[in-house]
Amino acid sequence: MRTKAEWQAMAASLVIESRAFIAGEYVTSQNSQTFTDINPATGEVLAQVVACHEADVAHAVQVAKQQFEAGCWSALPARERKRILLAWAALLREHAEELALLETLDTGKPIGHAQAIDINNTVYCVQWFAEAIDKISGDVPDIAANLHAVISREPMGVVAAIVPWNFPLMMASWKFAPALAAGNSVILKPSEKSPLTAIRVAGLAKQAGIPDGVFQVLPGDGSVGAMLAQHMDVDCVTFTGSTAVGRKIAQASASSNLKRIWLELGGKSANIVMADADLQAAAEGVAAGVFFNQGEMCSAGSRVLVQRAVYPQFIDLLEHAAKAWQPADPLEQNTLMGAIIDRSQFDKVMGYIAVGREEAELIFGGEAVSGTAGWFIQPTLFVSSPDTKIAREEIFGPVCTVILFDDEAQALQIANDSIYGLGAGIWTQNIGTAYRMSRKLRAGSVWINCYEESGDQNLPFGGYKQSGNGRDKSLHALDKYMEIKTTLLKI
Ligand code: NAP
Ligand code: MG
């Protein structure tokens, strides 16, 4: 536990690296351009960050491919990649406070969460895939007496990871850890809103022994992502971000080399409170499920379905629980809600709140926090019918929409009536109800009497429907970055 003054002193003495990492070196862009990165809690400029362009992308892809073909990483025995990745995880652990501070300064998220969630899970993720990779092997199926078959897995080649700003390093690690463990060359494109931790860990990767060109970081705007998605020598794009950009990546793949694409996209997840739930626990879980990380969460339980029999009692409990989530200074160790990532996201969220005031009933919140230079919004709750804009569209801010239902069938119908299918929650004390409903929910994760309890690397994470395809975390994630080869020998 550190005081705000200690974090501020650390921040003042931070030397922020803001260049791209290509071919094992920190470099400026070939056309010398930069962009401004701000701290959304204060409005202060953190760094002028290198903006990569076409020539930088071309260079990085060429080096990544060359290194892949040379086998300096891809052909290492798995236990050797494991050793190096574990060394990297140890360095990340050593620099955990610095990385957490960078993440908080860059995104406005609370420092306590940056430490406990973002950086802790990043280290754990790198460690987990390092430890997994030398336990994976192929198959020798029993087919015919005169044939011998070997089914083996091989790395794909150049994997581009394009990631968002809400959990900048942790989301990136969910991609780069399995992709590197599997033997690929990885090019990471962080969001221009939060590039700093990605840039920092690249130097640590080199220090740990990851060969030059095997892990590269290309800061820049969406055009860098678009160039990677279109590139003929990129073999796979693994993406987390909006459904709209996910669609563009699918189109880029289709119009280039049919590179493999893995998409973790948006959501509008339903968190269902049955009348027989432990309402106090449900209220706390529902509040955390939508206000954690300022609501900037793909899996936010932003549609809260409440059985009419416990309304308005549940709303009172929820309003009380939401009080803990008032925005405060992200550098205070016990802050639960920090700043919204930037002006444009702030405007988007406030725009949805304005729409909500027209089409639904505002119960609490709804205001920006005045008297600060940063972008802060109160936890906000509406009660709405299921067909409003705020009940259907992803807001990606601390805005919760309550929808009332009468029975289980109606709850399921409303929950599944969405283009998304990332997560869902059920609060009930009846195990039969919980199980029956969980089977009918069209979502990649179903949480019963909890929400977003998914820190463990053993648990796959990803969506149904337009929330994407493929799964991050768990051994399923390794499969995304390996081709399967069948080798047949006639005896
Ligand atoms: P975004 O606008 O889709 O951006 C995601 C990444 O794609 C960023 O690095 C962005 O770069 C880049 N990008 C932008 N345009 C591109 C293009 N045409 N081609 C290739 N890459 C491009 O999403 P965001 O606003 O950062 O993040 C919020 C969204 O992510 C939400 O919809 C949320 O639900 C989703 N999300 C999903 C998950 C999940 O696991 N399913 C997790 C977290 C977030 P710039 O930022 O530099 O423009
Ligand atoms: Mg920033």
Side-chain angles (χ1 to χ4, degrees):
M1 291 281 274
R2 288 189 176 276
T3 63
K4 179 175 157 185
E6 284 174 328
W7 286 117
Q8 282 174 327
M10 278 176 71
S13 63
L14 264 185
V15 180
I16 294 179
E17 179 56 74
S18 57
R19 290 172 294 174
F21 193 77
I22 300 176
E25 303 296 336
Y26 282 113
V27 293
T28 55
S29 165
Q30 295 195 21
N31 71 359
S32 309
Q33 287 191 1
T34 60
F35 62 91
T36 303
D37 183 22
I38 59 144
N39 175 347
T42 62
E44 282 162 8
V45 173
L46 290 170
Q48 293 299 331
V49 179
V50 163
C52 288
H53 279 271
E54 211 166 345
D56 309 301
V57 174
H59 183 210
V61 175
Q62 185 216 327
V63 174
K65 185 181 175 191
Q66 196 181 309
Q67 292 297 71
F68 182 79
E69 286 172 354
C72 59
W73 180 253
S74 53
L76 284 184
R79 66 177 176 279
E80 193 52 22
R81 292 200 299 272
K82 167 184 170 171
R83 185 185 64 73
I84 294 168
L85 288 172
L86 286 178
W88 192 24
L91 283 171
L92 296 171
R93 173 77 67 204
E94 230 172 83
H95 291 267
E97 279 199 329
E98 176 198 342
L99 291 168
L101 179 58
L102 269 182
E103 210 71 301
T104 285
L105 294 174
D106 211 355
T107 62
K109 68 168 61 203
I111 187 72
H113 293 167
Q115 290 178 286
I117 311 288
D118 295 74
I119 306 308
N120 227 3
N121 283 333
T122 298
V123 176
Y124 172 38
C125 180
V126 174
Q127 216 175 321
W128 196 92
F129 284 102
E131 286 165 351
I133 197 63
D134 63 346
K135 282 90 184 169
I136 305 284
S137 55
D139 294 309
V140 179
D142 186 358
I143 45 171
N146 68 334
L147 293 174
H148 179 70
V150 175
I151 299 167
S152 53
R153 289 153 144 189
E154 298 181 346
M156 280 175 171
V158 179
V159 173
I162 304 173
V163 297
W165 44 263
N166 58 345
F167 296 89
L169 192 58
M170 185 177 100
M171 289 286 127
S173 73
W174 289 5
K175 320 285 190 198
F176 65 61
L180 285 170
N184 298 283
S185 295
V186 173
I187 299 175
L188 173 61
K189 203 306 264 181
S191 168
E192 65 187 315
K193 298 175 185 181
S194 60
L196 300 181
T197 46
I199 293 173
R200 179 67 184 100
V201 302
L204 299 176
K206 176 165 177 148
Q207 200 181 324
I210 294 183
D212 294 353
V214 168
F215 181 70
Q216 305 182 90
V217 178
L218 302 184
D221 64 15
S223 69
V224 174
M227 285 183 251
L228 289 165
Q230 197 67 48
H231 204 294
M232 293 300 285
D233 287 330
V234 170
D235 300 286
C236 170
V237 168
T238 177
F239 173 78
T240 294
S242 61
T243 296
V245 173
R247 213 179 288 283
K248 289 187 189 169
I249 287 172
Q251 281 160 349
S253 163
S255 67
S256 59
N257 60 346
L258 284 176
K259 56 180 64 64
R260 281 75 179 114
I261 47 168
W262 302 111
L263 308 173
E264 299 286 349
L265 308 175
K268 188 77 183 178
S269 299
N271 205 350
I272 306 170
V273 181
M274 303 301 289
D276 68 356
D278 173 342
L279 294 182
Q280 179 59 38
E284 286 167 19
V286 163
V290 63
F291 300 133
F292 173 64
N293 212 51
Q294 303 69 246
E296 296 164 332
M297 222 173 22
C298 49
S299 53
S302 53
R303 286 190 297 153
V304 176
L305 277 47
V306 178
Q307 195 157 17
R308 205 178 300 271
V310 290
Y311 180 84
Q313 182 195 354
F314 179 74
I315 300 297
D316 289 341
L317 291 170
L318 185 55
E319 183 160 8
H320 187 75
K323 287 200 170 40
W325 294 88
Q326 290 303 322
D329 190 327
L331 286 180
E332 291 282 6
Q333 193 83 49
N334 56 3
T335 291
L336 291 183
M337 181 139 93
I340 303 297
I341 187 77
D342 68 357
R343 172 69 195 258
S344 71
Q345 186 65 18
F346 174 87
D347 288 345
K348 181 182 160 201
V349 176
M350 291 309 290
Y352 272 111
I353 290 174
V355 169
R357 287 175 190 273
E358 298 289 319
E359 62 180 9
E361 186 193 349
L362 179 70
I363 304 295
F364 60 77
E367 304 290 340
V369 179
S370 56
T372 132
W375 310 111
F376 295 89
I377 300 175
Q378 293 174 344
T380 297
L381 186 98
F382 288 98
V383 174
S384 169
S385 70
D387 51 9
T388 58
K389 224 169 136 66
I390 59 162
R392 303 194 73 80
E393 296 181 14
E394 182 178 50
I395 298 175
F396 226 60
V399 182
C400 175
T401 305
V402 165
I403 301 165
L404 301 179
F405 67 88
D406 292 301
D407 57 23
E408 188 179 313
Q410 194 189 8
L412 288 167
Q413 183 273 322
I414 296 170
N416 286 334
D417 180 19
S418 171
I419 61 165
Y420 299 115
L422 197 50
I426 309 167
W427 298 83
T428 174
Q429 299 199 63
N430 183 323
I431 193 171
T433 305
Y435 236 84
R436 202 167 49 240
M437 292 181 80
S438 72
R439 289 182 175 183
K440 293 196 174 143
L441 285 164
R442 306 275 300 154
S445 296
V446 177
W447 294 287
I448 298 167
N449 294 332
C450 58
Y451 198 82
E452 253 299 340
E453 293 276 335
S454 59
D456 200 290
Q457 281 300 324
N458 292 288
L459 303 173
F461 183 84
Y464 281 30
K465 300 191 266 183
Q466 293 183 43
S467 288
N469 67 323
R471 296 294 179 264
D472 282 332
K473 304 164 71 200
S474 81
L475 295 179
H476 293 284
L478 274 176
D479 285 339
K480 301 197 311 195
Y481 307 112
M482 292 194 270
E483 293 288 6
I484 291 176
K485 178 176 280 179
T486 302
T487 307
L488 197 59
L489 167 81
K490 194 166 187 178
I491 300 170

